[in-house]
C-alpha cells in the first residue's frame, strides 16, 4: 500500500534475523537489522509486526521521536474530519471512522474496520479485518480484536486482551484475558501438563 500511495519511497526492510540480510521481501531489500535505523536518519519508519506487543518492543528499542514514524492511510478509508490518528498508524482499505474517534500510535486497522462515535483505540492495538466497534468503546494498549469481532457501545477492552474471531462482546473484557464466542466469554485456562 505504501508503494501504491506514492507518498513515500520505500528504502528497505529492517529485520533482526541475520539470515534475511541481503535478501528481499516483495522486491524490497532487507537492509539489515534495526541498528540500520541510524544509517538512514532522514527516513520515516513504519512498524510491521502483527502483534502489538512486538510493535511496542521494537518502538521502545528504537527510541526515536514521533517525527520519524510514518502514518499510512488507504485512499478508500472514510475518516471523519475530527478523527485523530497517532504516529505510525496503518489504516487499510474500507476503514470507516465516524465522529470524534481517537486512534493511538502504532495501531493497525485492517480492511473494513468500523469505529463509531467517541471511540478510543489505545497504542499498539490491532483490529483485524471487519471489526466493528459501537460508540464510546475503549480499546486498551496492545489489545487484539480478531476478524469480524463486534463490540457493543460503552464497552471496554483491556490492555493486552484478545477478542476472538467473530466474537460479540457485550461486557467489559479485562486486561490480558482472551475471550471468544457469541456472546463472548473467557476461554478456559490452558494447561501444559501431559495427559495421565
Amino acid at each position: 500500500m505504501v508503494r501504491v500511495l506514492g507518498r513515500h519511497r520505500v528504502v528497505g526492510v529492517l529485520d533482526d534475523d541475520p539470515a534475511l540480510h541481503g535478501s528481499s521481501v516483495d522486491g524490497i531489500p532487507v537492509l539489515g537489522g534495526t541498528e540500520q535505523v541510524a544509517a538512514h536518519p532522514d527516513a520515516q519508519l513504519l512498524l510491521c509486526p502483527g502483534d502489538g506487543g512486538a510493535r511496542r518492543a521494537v518502538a521502545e528499542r528504537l527510541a526515536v521521536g514521533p517525527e520519524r514514524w510514518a502514518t499510512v492511510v488507504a485512499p478508500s478509508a472514510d475518516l471523519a474530519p475530527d478523527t485523530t490518528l497517532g504516529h505510525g498508524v496503518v489504516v487499510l482499505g474500507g476503514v470507516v471512522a465516524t465522529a470524534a474517534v481517537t486512534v493511538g500510535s502504532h495501531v493497525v486497522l485492517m480492511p473494513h474496520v468500523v469505529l463509531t462515535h467517541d471511540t478510543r483505540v489505545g497504542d499498539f492495538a490491532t483490529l483485524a479485518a471487519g471489526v466493528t466497534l459501537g460508540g464510546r468503546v475503549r480499546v486498551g494498549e496492545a489489545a487484539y480484536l480478531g476478524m469480524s469481532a463486534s463490540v457493543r457501545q460503552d464497552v471496554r477492552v483491556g490492555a493486552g486482551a484478545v477478542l476472538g474471531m467473530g466474537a460479540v462482546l457485550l461486557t467489559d473484557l479485562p486486561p490480558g484475558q482472551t475471550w471468544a464466542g457469541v456472546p463472548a466469554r473467557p476461554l478456559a485456562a490452558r494447561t501444559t501438563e501431559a495427559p495421565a
Side-chain angles (χ1 to χ4, degrees), residues 94-134:
V95 170
V96 174
T98 67
V101 169
T102 301
V103 177
S105 297
H106 305 294
V107 170
V108 175
L109 302 176
M110 294 186 187
H112 304 289
V113 166
V114 176
L115 309 169
T116 57
H117 68 90
D118 304 295
T119 286
R120 295 183 184 276
V121 179
D123 297 346
F124 304 103
T126 304
L127 279 61
V131 166
T132 301
L133 304 182

Side-chain angles (χ1 to χ4, degrees), residues 13-194:
V13 173
L14 303 180
D15 195 302
D16 288 330
D17 182 353
L20 297 176
H21 299 173
S23 68
S24 66
V25 175
D26 195 25
I28 301 170
V30 178
L31 303 174
T34 51
E35 76 281 352
Q36 289 294 315
V37 166
H40 301 278
D42 296 327
Q44 285 193 298
L45 308 170
L46 190 64
L47 293 174
C48 296
D51 176 73
R55 286 196 306 276
R56 180 176 50 212
V58 173
E60 289 172 355
R61 190 172 62 219
L62 293 177
V64 299
E67 72 285 351
R68 291 291 309 271
W69 299 108
T71 291
V72 180
V73 179
S76 62
D78 185 6
L79 308 180
D82 60 352
T83 300
T84 302
L85 300 178
H87 52 271
V89 173
V90 176
V91 180
L92 297 179
V95 170
V96 174
T98 67
V101 169
T102 301
V103 177
S105 297
H106 305 294
V107 170
V108 175
L109 302 176
M110 294 186 187
H112 304 289
V113 166
V114 176
L115 309 169
T116 57
H117 68 90
D118 304 295
T119 286
R120 295 183 184 276
V121 179
D123 297 346
F124 304 103
T126 304
L127 279 61
V131 166
T132 301
L133 304 182
R136 298 176 303 276
V137 167
R138 300 294 183 259
V139 177
E141 183 173 317
Y144 181 90
L145 282 64
M147 199 170 9
S148 297
S150 298
V151 180
R152 191 188 76 184
Q153 72 274 8
D154 298 313
V155 168
R156 294 179 177 272
V157 177
V162 175
L163 182 62
M165 292 187 308
V168 176
L169 186 63
L170 302 176
T171 61
D172 291 352
L173 194 169
Q177 291 191 12
T178 299
W179 287 23
V182 179
R185 300 194 189 295
L187 292 181
R190 296 182 184 181
T191 61
T192 57
E193 297 177 19

